[in-house]
Amino acid sequence: QVQLVESGGGSVRPGGSLRLSCLAPGLRDTMRVMAWFRQRPGKEREWVASIKTADGSTFYADPVKRRFIVSQDKAENSVFLQMNDFLPADSGVYYCAGTRYFTHEALLGDARQFGLWGQGTRVSVSS
């Protein structure tokens, strides 16, 4: 069973930066769309960003546009989420997700399209 493993969570100051990583075995050969989701305290899980693995096209939710960057390293079977200009509202548990099937819905953050999920990594704002 393929498992996605996130890392890089921790505390970050407002306005600071943090980079999350997701190890995704099979990314290079089988994954078609990878994405990041987050669940903030008291909120439903929400989509953050997606990347089309074939060509690296990226898509972002409005709250993180121009602040977060999703990228991939196929040789390392990894996906990254660079978080810049961190806001307190960005605090939460961040999940990596992947699917072997390309759909536009996956690119636009429909969680039902993703069959593989990581266990999550927590990110919080520090004073």
mmCIF file of all heavy atoms in Angstrom, residues 88-125:
data_model
loop_
_atom_site.group_PDB
_atom_site.id
_atom_site.type_symbol
_atom_site.label_atom_id
_atom_site.label_comp_id
_atom_site.label_asym_id
_atom_site.label_seq_id
_atom_site.Cartn_x
_atom_site.Cartn_y
_atom_site.Cartn_z
ATOM 1 N N PRO A 88 -1.368 33.961 10.657
ATOM 2 C CA PRO A 88 -1.951 33.097 11.696
ATOM 3 C C PRO A 88 -3.051 32.197 11.146
ATOM 4 O O PRO A 88 -3.204 31.052 11.599
ATOM 5 C CB PRO A 88 -2.491 34.109 12.703
ATOM 6 C CG PRO A 88 -1.588 35.285 12.571
ATOM 7 C CD PRO A 88 -1.266 35.358 11.084
ATOM 8 N N ALA A 89 -3.784 32.685 10.166
ATOM 9 C CA ALA A 89 -4.869 31.897 9.589
ATOM 10 C C ALA A 89 -4.354 30.708 8.783
ATOM 11 O O ALA A 89 -5.146 29.856 8.373
ATOM 12 C CB ALA A 89 -5.737 32.774 8.689
ATOM 13 N N ASP A 90 -3.076 30.640 8.550
ATOM 14 C CA ASP A 90 -2.496 29.502 7.833
ATOM 15 C C ASP A 90 -2.201 28.324 8.754
ATOM 16 O O ASP A 90 -1.845 27.238 8.291
ATOM 17 C CB ASP A 90 -1.197 29.905 7.130
ATOM 18 C CG ASP A 90 -1.423 30.900 6.014
ATOM 19 O OD1 ASP A 90 -2.440 30.768 5.297
ATOM 20 O OD2 ASP A 90 -0.580 31.804 5.836
ATOM 21 N N SER A 91 -2.326 28.515 10.041
ATOM 22 C CA SER A 91 -2.032 27.443 10.995
ATOM 23 C C SER A 91 -3.004 26.288 10.826
ATOM 24 O O SER A 91 -4.193 26.489 10.582
ATOM 25 C CB SER A 91 -2.126 27.972 12.429
ATOM 26 O OG SER A 91 -1.171 28.972 12.669
ATOM 27 N N GLY A 92 -2.480 25.082 10.961
ATOM 28 C CA GLY A 92 -3.339 23.909 10.850
ATOM 29 C C GLY A 92 -2.522 22.678 10.539
ATOM 30 O O GLY A 92 -1.295 22.719 10.568
ATOM 31 N N VAL A 93 -3.219 21.616 10.227
ATOM 32 C CA VAL A 93 -2.565 20.377 9.814
ATOM 33 C C VAL A 93 -2.610 20.313 8.290
ATOM 34 O O VAL A 93 -3.680 20.438 7.696
ATOM 35 C CB VAL A 93 -3.253 19.146 10.428
ATOM 36 C CG1 VAL A 93 -2.563 17.869 9.956
ATOM 37 C CG2 VAL A 93 -3.236 19.233 11.952
ATOM 38 N N TYR A 94 -1.462 20.117 7.701
ATOM 39 C CA TYR A 94 -1.339 20.086 6.255
ATOM 40 C C TYR A 94 -1.176 18.651 5.781
ATOM 41 O O TYR A 94 -0.356 17.899 6.317
ATOM 42 C CB TYR A 94 -0.147 20.936 5.810
ATOM 43 C CG TYR A 94 -0.463 22.406 5.843
ATOM 44 C CD1 TYR A 94 -0.586 23.081 7.061
ATOM 45 C CD2 TYR A 94 -0.653 23.134 4.668
ATOM 46 C CE1 TYR A 94 -0.905 24.432 7.100
ATOM 47 C CE2 TYR A 94 -0.973 24.480 4.696
ATOM 48 C CZ TYR A 94 -1.095 25.119 5.911
ATOM 49 O OH TYR A 94 -1.418 26.455 5.951
ATOM 50 N N TYR A 95 -1.967 18.308 4.771
ATOM 51 C CA TYR A 95 -1.984 16.955 4.235
ATOM 52 C C TYR A 95 -1.560 16.957 2.773
ATOM 53 O O TYR A 95 -1.973 17.806 1.997
ATOM 54 C CB TYR A 95 -3.386 16.361 4.325
ATOM 55 C CG TYR A 95 -3.911 16.229 5.730
ATOM 56 C CD1 TYR A 95 -4.663 17.241 6.304
ATOM 57 C CD2 TYR A 95 -3.676 15.076 6.466
ATOM 58 C CE1 TYR A 95 -5.160 17.130 7.595
ATOM 59 C CE2 TYR A 95 -4.168 14.941 7.757
ATOM 60 C CZ TYR A 95 -4.903 15.983 8.314
ATOM 61 O OH TYR A 95 -5.389 15.853 9.593
ATOM 62 N N CYS A 96 -0.782 15.979 2.426
ATOM 63 C CA CYS A 96 -0.424 15.720 1.046
ATOM 64 C C CYS A 96 -1.386 14.670 0.495
ATOM 65 O O CYS A 96 -1.757 13.732 1.209
ATOM 66 C CB CYS A 96 1.020 15.216 1.014
ATOM 67 S SG CYS A 96 1.638 14.742 -0.593
ATOM 68 N N ALA A 97 -1.773 14.829 -0.751
ATOM 69 C CA ALA A 97 -2.687 13.874 -1.379
ATOM 70 C C ALA A 97 -2.249 13.626 -2.810
ATOM 71 O O ALA A 97 -1.656 14.494 -3.451
ATOM 72 C CB ALA A 97 -4.111 14.399 -1.338
ATOM 73 N N GLY A 98 -2.567 12.444 -3.304
ATOM 74 C CA GLY A 98 -2.183 12.102 -4.664
ATOM 75 C C GLY A 98 -3.223 11.248 -5.353
ATOM 76 O O GLY A 98 -4.004 10.549 -4.693
ATOM 77 N N THR A 99 -3.228 11.315 -6.672
ATOM 78 C CA THR A 99 -4.119 10.471 -7.458
ATOM 79 C C THR A 99 -3.397 10.004 -8.711
ATOM 80 O O THR A 99 -2.604 10.745 -9.289
ATOM 81 C CB THR A 99 -5.408 11.206 -7.835
ATOM 82 O OG1 THR A 99 -6.205 10.357 -8.685
ATOM 83 C CG2 THR A 99 -5.129 12.498 -8.583
ATOM 84 N N ARG A 100 -3.704 8.777 -9.113
ATOM 85 C CA ARG A 100 -3.122 8.216 -10.337
ATOM 86 C C ARG A 100 -3.919 8.605 -11.585
ATOM 87 O O ARG A 100 -3.553 8.232 -12.690
ATOM 88 C CB ARG A 100 -3.049 6.698 -10.221
ATOM 89 C CG ARG A 100 -2.122 6.209 -9.120
ATOM 90 C CD ARG A 100 -2.019 4.701 -9.122
ATOM 91 N NE ARG A 100 -1.065 4.211 -8.137
ATOM 92 C CZ ARG A 100 -1.408 3.812 -6.922
ATOM 93 N NH1 ARG A 100 -2.667 3.849 -6.549
ATOM 94 N NH2 ARG A 100 -0.496 3.381 -6.085
ATOM 95 N N TYR A 101 -5.006 9.322 -11.369
ATOM 96 C CA TYR A 101 -5.887 9.674 -12.480
ATOM 97 C C TYR A 101 -5.923 11.185 -12.647
ATOM 98 O O TYR A 101 -6.131 11.922 -11.686
ATOM 99 C CB TYR A 101 -7.291 9.137 -12.228
ATOM 100 C CG TYR A 101 -7.292 7.658 -11.941
ATOM 101 C CD1 TYR A 101 -7.334 7.182 -10.634
ATOM 102 C CD2 TYR A 101 -7.221 6.741 -12.985
ATOM 103 C CE1 TYR A 101 -7.314 5.822 -10.372
ATOM 104 C CE2 TYR A 101 -7.198 5.385 -12.737
ATOM 105 C CZ TYR A 101 -7.240 4.929 -11.423
ATOM 106 O OH TYR A 101 -7.215 3.588 -11.170
ATOM 107 N N PHE A 102 -5.742 11.613 -13.880
ATOM 108 C CA PHE A 102 -5.801 13.046 -14.126
ATOM 109 C C PHE A 102 -7.247 13.471 -14.311
ATOM 110 O O PHE A 102 -7.950 12.950 -15.193
ATOM 111 C CB PHE A 102 -5.002 13.405 -15.373
ATOM 112 C CG PHE A 102 -5.170 14.834 -15.757
ATOM 113 C CD1 PHE A 102 -4.496 15.831 -15.080
ATOM 114 C CD2 PHE A 102 -6.064 15.200 -16.761
ATOM 115 C CE1 PHE A 102 -4.678 17.157 -15.405
ATOM 116 C CE2 PHE A 102 -6.256 16.527 -17.095
ATOM 117 C CZ PHE A 102 -5.558 17.511 -16.416
ATOM 118 N N THR A 103 -7.683 14.420 -13.524
ATOM 119 C CA THR A 103 -8.995 15.042 -13.718
ATOM 120 C C THR A 103 -8.846 16.530 -13.432
ATOM 121 O O THR A 103 -8.011 16.948 -12.619
ATOM 122 C CB THR A 103 -10.071 14.475 -12.775
ATOM 123 O OG1 THR A 103 -9.733 14.781 -11.413
ATOM 124 C CG2 THR A 103 -10.218 12.969 -12.930
ATOM 125 N N HIS A 104 -9.662 17.316 -14.096
ATOM 126 C CA HIS A 104 -9.648 18.750 -13.822
ATOM 127 C C HIS A 104 -10.144 19.024 -12.399
ATOM 128 O O HIS A 104 -9.711 19.976 -11.754
ATOM 129 C CB HIS A 104 -10.497 19.486 -14.850
ATOM 130 C CG HIS A 104 -9.874 19.492 -16.205
ATOM 131 N ND1 HIS A 104 -8.776 20.277 -16.518
ATOM 132 C CD2 HIS A 104 -10.160 18.805 -17.332
ATOM 133 C CE1 HIS A 104 -8.436 20.079 -17.773
ATOM 134 N NE2 HIS A 104 -9.258 19.185 -18.292
ATOM 135 N N GLU A 105 -11.049 18.159 -11.943
ATOM 136 C CA GLU A 105 -11.548 18.324 -10.579
ATOM 137 C C GLU A 105 -10.421 18.177 -9.561
ATOM 138 O O GLU A 105 -10.389 18.872 -8.541
ATOM 139 C CB GLU A 105 -12.664 17.305 -10.303
ATOM 140 C CG GLU A 105 -13.965 17.565 -11.041
ATOM 141 C CD GLU A 105 -13.937 17.074 -12.474
ATOM 142 O OE1 GLU A 105 -12.910 16.488 -12.899
ATOM 143 O OE2 GLU A 105 -14.943 17.268 -13.187
ATOM 144 N N ALA A 106 -9.501 17.262 -9.833
ATOM 145 C CA ALA A 106 -8.360 17.098 -8.925
ATOM 146 C C ALA A 106 -7.487 18.344 -8.949
ATOM 147 O O ALA A 106 -7.033 18.816 -7.900
ATOM 148 C CB ALA A 106 -7.550 15.867 -9.319
ATOM 149 N N LEU A 107 -7.249 18.882 -10.130
ATOM 150 C CA LEU A 107 -6.435 20.091 -10.227
ATOM 151 C C LEU A 107 -7.062 21.238 -9.440
ATOM 152 O O LEU A 107 -6.350 22.087 -8.903
ATOM 153 C CB LEU A 107 -6.278 20.504 -11.682
ATOM 154 C CG LEU A 107 -5.381 19.627 -12.556
ATOM 155 C CD1 LEU A 107 -5.335 20.193 -13.967
ATOM 156 C CD2 LEU A 107 -3.984 19.492 -11.980
ATOM 157 N N LEU A 108 -8.375 21.257 -9.381
ATOM 158 C CA LEU A 108 -9.065 22.354 -8.711
ATOM 159 C C LEU A 108 -9.464 22.029 -7.280
ATOM 160 O O LEU A 108 -10.217 22.766 -6.669
ATOM 161 C CB LEU A 108 -10.291 22.759 -9.540
ATOM 162 C CG LEU A 108 -9.950 23.293 -10.929
ATOM 163 C CD1 LEU A 108 -11.214 23.662 -11.686
ATOM 164 C CD2 LEU A 108 -9.005 24.469 -10.849
ATOM 165 N N GLY A 109 -8.924 20.918 -6.756
ATOM 166 C CA GLY A 109 -9.031 20.689 -5.330
ATOM 167 C C GLY A 109 -10.203 19.883 -4.823
ATOM 168 O O GLY A 109 -10.526 19.967 -3.630
ATOM 169 N N ASP A 110 -10.806 19.078 -5.672
ATOM 170 C CA ASP A 110 -11.876 18.203 -5.188
ATOM 171 C C ASP A 110 -11.250 17.037 -4.445
ATOM 172 O O ASP A 110 -10.656 16.151 -5.059
ATOM 173 C CB ASP A 110 -12.707 17.714 -6.377
ATOM 174 C CG ASP A 110 -13.877 16.848 -5.951
ATOM 175 O OD1 ASP A 110 -13.951 16.456 -4.768
ATOM 176 O OD2 ASP A 110 -14.736 16.564 -6.796
ATOM 177 N N ALA A 111 -11.405 17.004 -3.146
ATOM 178 C CA ALA A 111 -10.742 15.988 -2.318
ATOM 179 C C ALA A 111 -11.190 14.578 -2.676
ATOM 180 O O ALA A 111 -10.437 13.617 -2.472
ATOM 181 C CB ALA A 111 -11.015 16.267 -0.847
ATOM 182 N N ARG A 112 -12.386 14.449 -3.226
ATOM 183 C CA ARG A 112 -12.892 13.108 -3.565
ATOM 184 C C ARG A 112 -12.109 12.449 -4.689
ATOM 185 O O ARG A 112 -12.204 11.247 -4.904
ATOM 186 C CB ARG A 112 -14.370 13.210 -3.961
ATOM 187 C CG ARG A 112 -15.282 13.689 -2.852
ATOM 188 C CD ARG A 112 -16.652 14.015 -3.375
ATOM 189 N NE ARG A 112 -16.616 15.099 -4.354
ATOM 190 C CZ ARG A 112 -17.685 15.577 -4.962
ATOM 191 N NH1 ARG A 112 -18.891 15.061 -4.700
ATOM 192 N NH2 ARG A 112 -17.582 16.565 -5.843
ATOM 193 N N GLN A 113 -11.322 13.224 -5.415
ATOM 194 C CA GLN A 113 -10.514 12.699 -6.522
ATOM 195 C C GLN A 113 -9.252 12.005 -6.037
ATOM 196 O O GLN A 113 -8.598 11.313 -6.808
ATOM 197 C CB GLN A 113 -10.136 13.833 -7.465
ATOM 198 C CG GLN A 113 -11.310 14.637 -7.989
ATOM 199 C CD GLN A 113 -12.234 13.812 -8.860
ATOM 200 O OE1 GLN A 113 -11.782 13.076 -9.722
ATOM 201 N NE2 GLN A 113 -13.531 13.938 -8.634
ATOM 202 N N PHE A 114 -8.902 12.213 -4.788
ATOM 203 C CA PHE A 114 -7.610 11.737 -4.296
ATOM 204 C C PHE A 114 -7.773 10.483 -3.451
ATOM 205 O O PHE A 114 -8.490 10.483 -2.452
ATOM 206 C CB PHE A 114 -6.922 12.836 -3.488
ATOM 207 C CG PHE A 114 -6.560 14.032 -4.309
ATOM 208 C CD1 PHE A 114 -7.461 15.087 -4.454
ATOM 209 C CD2 PHE A 114 -5.342 14.100 -4.975
ATOM 210 C CE1 PHE A 114 -7.145 16.175 -5.238
ATOM 211 C CE2 PHE A 114 -5.008 15.184 -5.748
ATOM 212 C CZ PHE A 114 -5.910 16.241 -5.890
ATOM 213 N N GLY A 115 -7.057 9.431 -3.864
ATOM 214 C CA GLY A 115 -7.164 8.178 -3.144
ATOM 215 C C GLY A 115 -6.031 7.936 -2.165
ATOM 216 O O GLY A 115 -6.112 7.040 -1.335
ATOM 217 N N LEU A 116 -4.987 8.726 -2.249
ATOM 218 C CA LEU A 116 -3.828 8.540 -1.384
ATOM 219 C C LEU A 116 -3.627 9.793 -0.551
ATOM 220 O O LEU A 116 -3.621 10.913 -1.092
ATOM 221 C CB LEU A 116 -2.578 8.267 -2.220
ATOM 222 C CG LEU A 116 -2.629 6.987 -3.053
ATOM 223 C CD1 LEU A 116 -1.448 6.928 -3.998
ATOM 224 C CD2 LEU A 116 -2.659 5.756 -2.153
ATOM 225 N N TRP A 117 -3.433 9.594 0.736
ATOM 226 C CA TRP A 117 -3.276 10.703 1.671
ATOM 227 C C TRP A 117 -2.155 10.412 2.649
ATOM 228 O O TRP A 117 -1.891 9.256 2.982
ATOM 229 C CB TRP A 117 -4.572 10.914 2.477
ATOM 230 C CG TRP A 117 -5.705 11.406 1.649
ATOM 231 C CD1 TRP A 117 -6.539 10.649 0.870
ATOM 232 C CD2 TRP A 117 -6.132 12.756 1.491
ATOM 233 N NE1 TRP A 117 -7.455 11.456 0.248
ATOM 234 C CE2 TRP A 117 -7.231 12.751 0.610
ATOM 235 C CE3 TRP A 117 -5.690 13.976 2.005
ATOM 236 C CZ2 TRP A 117 -7.901 13.923 0.235
ATOM 237 C CZ3 TRP A 117 -6.354 15.139 1.632
ATOM 238 C CH2 TRP A 117 -7.442 15.106 0.756
ATOM 239 N N GLY A 118 -1.512 11.479 3.075
ATOM 240 C CA GLY A 118 -0.544 11.351 4.141
ATOM 241 C C GLY A 118 -1.200 11.513 5.500
ATOM 242 O O GLY A 118 -2.403 11.750 5.601
ATOM 243 N N GLN A 119 -0.394 11.417 6.529
ATOM 244 C CA GLN A 119 -0.911 11.479 7.890
ATOM 245 C C GLN A 119 -1.018 12.917 8.396
ATOM 246 O O GLN A 119 -1.635 13.175 9.430
ATOM 247 C CB GLN A 119 -0.016 10.669 8.834
ATOM 248 C CG GLN A 119 1.273 11.371 9.280
ATOM 249 C CD GLN A 119 2.300 11.533 8.177
ATOM 250 O OE1 GLN A 119 2.175 10.975 7.090
ATOM 251 N NE2 GLN A 119 3.332 12.318 8.460
ATOM 252 N N GLY A 120 -0.435 13.848 7.668
ATOM 253 C CA GLY A 120 -0.518 15.251 8.037
ATOM 254 C C GLY A 120 0.679 15.716 8.838
ATOM 255 O O GLY A 120 1.320 14.937 9.548
ATOM 256 N N THR A 121 0.960 16.995 8.694
ATOM 257 C CA THR A 121 2.018 17.618 9.471
ATOM 258 C C THR A 121 1.491 18.967 9.968
ATOM 259 O O THR A 121 0.864 19.716 9.218
ATOM 260 C CB THR A 121 3.310 17.784 8.649
ATOM 261 O OG1 THR A 121 4.361 18.280 9.477
ATOM 262 C CG2 THR A 121 3.124 18.731 7.468
ATOM 263 N N ARG A 122 1.733 19.252 11.227
ATOM 264 C CA ARG A 122 1.132 20.428 11.854
ATOM 265 C C ARG A 122 2.012 21.647 11.691
ATOM 266 O O ARG A 122 3.230 21.593 11.901
ATOM 267 C CB ARG A 122 0.875 20.164 13.341
ATOM 268 C CG ARG A 122 0.112 21.263 14.054
ATOM 269 C CD ARG A 122 -0.210 20.856 15.481
ATOM 270 N NE ARG A 122 -1.064 19.668 15.517
ATOM 271 C CZ ARG A 122 -2.377 19.688 15.401
ATOM 272 N NH1 ARG A 122 -3.008 20.854 15.254
ATOM 273 N NH2 ARG A 122 -3.066 18.578 15.461
ATOM 274 N N VAL A 123 1.364 22.747 11.350
ATOM 275 C CA VAL A 123 2.053 24.029 11.225
ATOM 276 C C VAL A 123 1.324 25.037 12.094
ATOM 277 O O VAL A 123 0.099 25.147 12.029
ATOM 278 C CB VAL A 123 2.064 24.509 9.757
ATOM 279 C CG1 VAL A 123 2.799 25.833 9.649
ATOM 280 C CG2 VAL A 123 2.706 23.466 8.858
ATOM 281 N N SER A 124 2.077 25.752 12.890
ATOM 282 C CA SER A 124 1.445 26.720 13.774
ATOM 283 C C SER A 124 2.234 28.021 13.768
ATOM 284 O O SER A 124 3.429 28.035 13.446
ATOM 285 C CB SER A 124 1.348 26.167 15.198
ATOM 286 O OG SER A 124 2.628 25.882 15.712
ATOM 287 N N VAL A 125 1.569 29.095 14.111
ATOM 288 C CA VAL A 125 2.224 30.388 14.160
ATOM 289 C C VAL A 125 2.818 30.592 15.548
ATOM 290 O O VAL A 125 2.233 30.199 16.555
ATOM 291 C CB VAL A 125 1.226 31.519 13.822
ATOM 292 C CG1 VAL A 125 0.126 31.617 14.851
ATOM 293 C CG2 VAL A 125 1.968 32.838 13.632
#
